[in-house]
Amino acid sequence: MVDEGTGLIAIGAGLAVGLTGLGAGMAEKDVGAAAVGAITEDPSIFGKAMIFMVLPETIVIFGLVIAIMAIFVMGG
Amino acid sequence: MRFSRRNGKKGNYAYTVARVKAKKSLLMANEDYDKMLMMTVPEISRYISEAGYDKEMADLAGRLSGLNLLEHATYMNMAKVFSSILKSSTGELYDMVSAYLDKWDIWNLKVILRGKSYNLDAESIREDLVPAGRLDTESLDRLVALDIDEDIISEFGRMAHVKIPADVIAAYKASGNLGEIEDFLDKAHYERLIQSINPASRPSNIFRNYVKEEVDLKNFETILKLKAEGIHGDQVMKYMISGGKRIDDKLLTHLANAEVMESVMSEVSQLEFGEEIKDLLESKDIRGAVSRLKRFEMQKAKKFSHLYPLSVIPVIDYMINKENEVRNIRAIARGTQSGLDRETIKGLLVVQ
């Protein structure tokens, strides 16, 4: 049986990853569409477009860091 | 026309805008026009082949040559680019782009009807078509294959969802003057275009205002041209398109009825574009004034294209610029072919 505090930490960690994932997805929707459009016109910019495409992923990394901190620092 | 096919959905602005921005970077710059002004027609053909028109030039080189090749290749390239934009857009963006490109469907109908009235063969008519609108080459071929004008008009109406009233067709049949149908289609195009733009969002509203201002400029241009021919009053009003932004019906009537331009100069100078062309109107340079108005229109389009990057505006801005590029190349080639001096040709170009 886990105590109430540990449960809340787990929910918080889940929200941190889930919500940042949602945010990154929303940002990547337009960036990705624009990147594909730009690559269609000029395939040589694939590398640059890829970098722009993954930039919003950093938000998820922040969320992941918060989640890890919540579980191991606060929970530990 | 009906715009229900993909209505209701938001458009894929990011994808389409990224594509048109990439295409826009390949358009010709002012220096390119300066270089072309120094060239002969074959040199211009070679130059544009290196600037993105290579495929069309190669495709048509077997059948056409010289100025004919250049004119057809530029139009074919523009048609290809516009239909690729139309095909790649969805939702409300598709609705707006297709309404904007309807003018090319109307252009093609005019070419077919005119060609038929001069008894041109199907091949010659087909060569002059610009399939840049919603009707593709196959649909246009079906129209060209028809022999009777009424059949062409009704088939076009069915394909493009446009209803040409019976009285317009009757007036055409009675007078044999294609102008009746052409005027109706031009007016209907602008009215439908304005209707198709939902002014709810700020960028769509800017586009709507732009179209309304274009109507103003078109009307003003028609008035100037008719005045130069000495035509006034109701005869002028017949050609006016309703729905303009600054020139309302009252001012339109006033401008149309004025015997000489000087008497309406005070009203013209109050219009946004009035100051731009004041000096040219005073010196009665109608062609120069029309060219200046086009430049004014393009500058406006350029100004608002940076305001809303994820909207219909950059797409329309690109199409205006592409059309202008084609117009400029053709003007340079035609001017060079007919031996006009460089300064005169330069005056005919619309550059920013």
Side-chain angles (χ1 to χ4, degrees):
Chain A
M1 203 53 193
V2 284
D3 65 88
E4 209 170 274
T6 314
L8 285 173
I9 288 170
I11 290 171
L15 282 176
V17 176
L19 290 177
T20 48
L22 211 64
M26 281 161 75
E28 276 179 5
K29 183 190 86 175
D30 279 344
V31 180
V36 173
I39 295 166
T40 313
E41 293 298 324
D42 182 5
S44 70
I45 58 163
F46 178 79
K48 277 184 199 161
M50 192 72 182
I51 292 170
F52 283 117
M53 178 73 215
V54 297
L55 274 185
E57 291 288 340
T58 49
I59 309 169
V60 189
I61 298 172
F62 294 145
L64 194 69
V65 170
I66 298 295
I68 291 170
M69 280 170 73
I71 291 169
F72 292 105
V73 180
M74 292 167 76
Chain B
M1 266 180 223
R2 218 171 46 196
F3 297 107
S4 56
R5 194 157 81 87
R6 304 188 195 183
N7 235 340
K9 273 191 282 171
K10 216 171 164 287
N12 55 345
Y13 291 103
Y15 176 77
T16 313
V17 168
R19 284 193 70 169
V20 297
K21 291 248 168 173
K23 283 182 201 288
K24 198 176 175 191
S25 66
L26 301 174
L27 288 179
M28 285 185 182
N30 291 353
E31 304 86 74
D32 292 310
Y33 297 132
D34 288 338
K35 278 183 204 159
M36 280 196 278
L37 281 168
M38 320 285 273
M39 296 176 185
T40 60
V41 175
E43 282 169 343
I44 296 171
S45 300
R46 215 169 308 132
Y47 191 78
I48 65 165
S49 292
E50 287 160 15
Y53 293 83
D54 47 335
K55 193 180 174 299
E56 290 74 21
M57 292 294 274
D59 284 351
L60 294 171
R63 284 188 288 133
L64 304 164
S65 63
L67 190 61
N68 253 344
L69 168 64
L70 187 137
E71 293 205 323
H72 285 98
T74 45
Y75 262 163
M76 249 178 79
N77 179 276
M78 187 182 75
K80 187 185 80 183
V81 171
F82 285 1
S83 46
S84 84
I85 295 174
L86 186 62
K87 276 183 198 139
S88 68
S89 51
T90 60
E92 60 177 25
L93 178 63
Y94 173 88
D95 292 344
M96 285 188 273
V97 172
S98 71
Y100 184 78
L101 290 177
D102 272 346
K103 64 177 173 183
W104 291 105
D105 289 337
I106 293 169
W107 161 286
N108 289 330
L109 177 69
K110 286 180 188 173
V111 168
I112 296 171
L113 291 175
R114 289 250 168 224
K116 295 274 175 196
S117 72
Y118 287 108
N119 291 324
L120 290 181
D121 60 279
E123 197 46 47
S124 314
I125 297 175
R126 226 170 269 140
E127 273 179 6
D128 287 330
L129 296 175
V130 186
R134 275 198 286 183
L135 301 186
D136 54 11
T137 317
E138 288 79 44
S139 310
L140 293 170
D141 278 349
R142 281 212 299 280
L143 286 179
V144 175
L146 297 169
D147 283 325
I148 305 161
D149 285 358
E150 285 88 66
D151 289 348
I152 298 172
I153 294 166
S154 64
E155 183 66 9
F156 174 81
R158 202 183 55 75
M159 285 175 179
H161 308 294
V162 61
K163 177 119 190 67
I164 300 174
D167 59 321
V168 175
I169 299 176
Y172 158 60
K173 267 161 100 182
S175 63
N177 180 10
L178 273 172
E180 302 281 349
I181 290 179
E182 293 181 354
D183 293 339
F184 168 79
L185 288 171
D186 284 339
K187 282 184 197 173
H189 164 66
Y190 278 105
E191 281 158 20
R192 278 193 314 264
L193 180 54
I194 293 170
Q195 270 172 19
S196 77
I197 309 164
N198 176 10
S201 72
R202 178 97 179 93
S204 301
N205 205 21
I206 292 178
F207 176 38
R208 196 165 185 265
N209 279 333
Y210 172 78
V211 175
K212 279 172 156 287
E213 277 169 19
E214 197 182 307
V215 170
D216 279 346
L217 290 177
K218 273 251 150 28
N219 281 338
F220 193 67
E221 194 184 318
T222 314
I223 291 174
L224 285 182
K225 283 179 182 166
L226 291 174
K227 288 246 175 290
E229 301 284 321
I231 302 167
H232 310 286
D234 286 345
Q235 278 291 90
V236 176
M237 285 308 285
K238 215 172 85 178
Y239 300 106
M240 293 297 110
I241 306 162
S242 58
K245 191 173 178 228
R246 288 193 171 78
I247 309 182
D248 56 8
D249 286 346
K250 199 174 142 226
L251 181 55
L252 216 52
T253 321
H254 194 179
L255 290 173
N257 286 328
E259 294 280 325
V260 280
M261 223 50 219
E262 285 76 22
S263 61
V264 285
M265 276 312 281
S266 60
E267 268 149 299
V268 171
S269 57
Q270 277 169 18
L271 297 168
E272 201 186 353
F273 52 81
E275 277 301 311
E276 293 273 325
I277 52 166
K278 208 173 162 192
D279 53 325
L280 291 166
L281 286 183
E282 273 161 10
S283 60
K284 293 201 164 47
D285 180 4
I286 302 290
R287 203 199 289 161
V290 170
S291 167
R292 184 86 61 86
L293 286 177
K294 286 222 161 70
R295 202 169 306 158
F296 173 77
E297 196 183 346
M298 275 190 57
Q299 272 160 357
K300 264 205 115 156
K302 191 183 176 191
K303 205 162 73 184
F304 65 50
S305 76
H306 299 295
L307 291 176
Y308 294 93
L310 286 185
S311 72
V312 66
I313 293 172
V315 183
I316 300 295
D317 173 56
Y318 169 72
M319 292 202 284
I320 294 167
N321 279 288
K322 176 74 187 177
E323 222 177 296
N324 189 54
E325 177 185 284
V326 167
R327 196 188 302 128
N328 282 345
I329 295 172
R330 290 162 65 104
I332 294 174
R334 258 191 248 157
T336 311
Q337 177 93 337
S338 43
L340 288 178
D341 64 285
R342 260 176 231 147
E343 281 312 305
T344 315
I345 305 174
K346 213 169 178 182
L348 294 169
L349 303 181
V350 180
V351 285
Q352 289 185 24

